[in-house]
Amino acid sequence: MKVVHPPHFPSTHHWPVALRYDPVVLTGFRVGDRKEIAEVRARNQTWLNPWNATPPVENVESLSSWGYARFLANNARQGRSLPWVIRWVYPHHTPVIGQITLNSIMYGSAQSASLGYWMDQRYAGRGVMGLAVALVTDYAMTTMGLHRIEICIRPENSASLRVVEKLGLRHEGSRPRYIHIAGHWCDHEVFVITKEELGAGLLSRVKTSPGEVVSSR
C-alpha cells in the first residue's frame, strides 16, 4: 500500500493508499481489518449508537461483518466509495481508532462526494477527526480532482459539528428527515466545501497536531 505524506499529494489516484500525518495514519480498508473494527465498535456501542444509521423497514437482515467487509472492499475497487481505517501510530502497535469513508463518489459533471466517519471515544477531542477529514478532503480534491465534498450531521451531534466548524466548512442548509437513525427519520445539517473554497488546503487549517494519547494496551 502506497503511503502518502501530506501536504505532498500524488498527481494520480491509485487505491489502496495510506495517508499519514504525525501519529495518525489512514490506511485503505482491508477485509482483514473487520475483526479489530468490530471490537472497537462493540467497546464504543453507547457512544456510537445515537448516530448509527438503521434500516427503516423492520425485519431487514443486516449484513454480517464479513459481508459488510466484502461490500466495502468491492465498492472501493469499483471507485464508488473509498473507506479508510484511522489508526494511531505507537512505537510497537498501530490500533484502529475509527473509520472515515468517502461515499457516493460521482465524476462527470458533478465531481462530488460525501464524507462519513466515526471514532473511538478514548481518542475524541484531540483533533484526530479534524485531521482525518482534512487529509481525505485534500486528497480527494488535489489527487482525485473532485470539486465538492459534503458532510451531513445531526444537529444534536455537537462533537461532529465542532469538526466542521473548526475546519471552516460552509453551512449550506438543512435536510429534514434525511437519514434513518436509531429508529427515526432524522434531520441533518449540511456542510460543504468546494475546490474554489479549498485555498491552501484543509490541512493548513488544522491548528495543532493531535494530542498525546496514553497507550490503549
Side-chain angles (χ1 to χ4, degrees), residues 17 20-21 43 48-49 54 65 68 72 78 83-84 116 118 121 129 131 135 142 147 158 166 172 201 208 212-213 215:
V17 61
R20 175 153 186 191
Y21 191 87
R43 188 175 66 245
L48 296 174
N49 273 357
T54 51
S65 63
Y68 185 63
L72 288 180
Q78 295 169 18
W84 277 276
W118 63 267
Q121 187 176 13
M129 192 53 76
L131 175 59
L135 289 172
T142 302
H147 175 255
S158 57
K166 288 180 178 180
E172 190 173 66
T208 59
E212 181 180 354
V213 180
S215 174

Side-chain angles (χ1 to χ4, degrees), residues 8 19 37 75 99 105-107 114 119 130 160 183 208:
H8 306 291
L19 308 175
I37 289 171
N75 276 354
Q99 282 182 275
I105 299 172
M106 297 179 65
Y107 290 103
S114 63
M119 169 153 290
S160 196
T208 59

Side-chain angles (χ1 to χ4, degrees), residues 64-83:
S64 65
S65 63
W66 173 258
Y68 185 63
R70 292 293 300 272
F71 172 77
L72 288 180
N74 287 337
N75 276 354
R77 279 195 296 270
Q78 295 169 18
R80 292 196 294 258
S81 66
L82 299 181

Side-chain angles (χ1 to χ4, degrees), residues 105-113 145-148:
I105 299 172
M106 297 179 65
Y107 290 103
S109 58
Q111 300 287 336
S112 66
L146 297 187
H147 175 255
R148 169 191 164 94

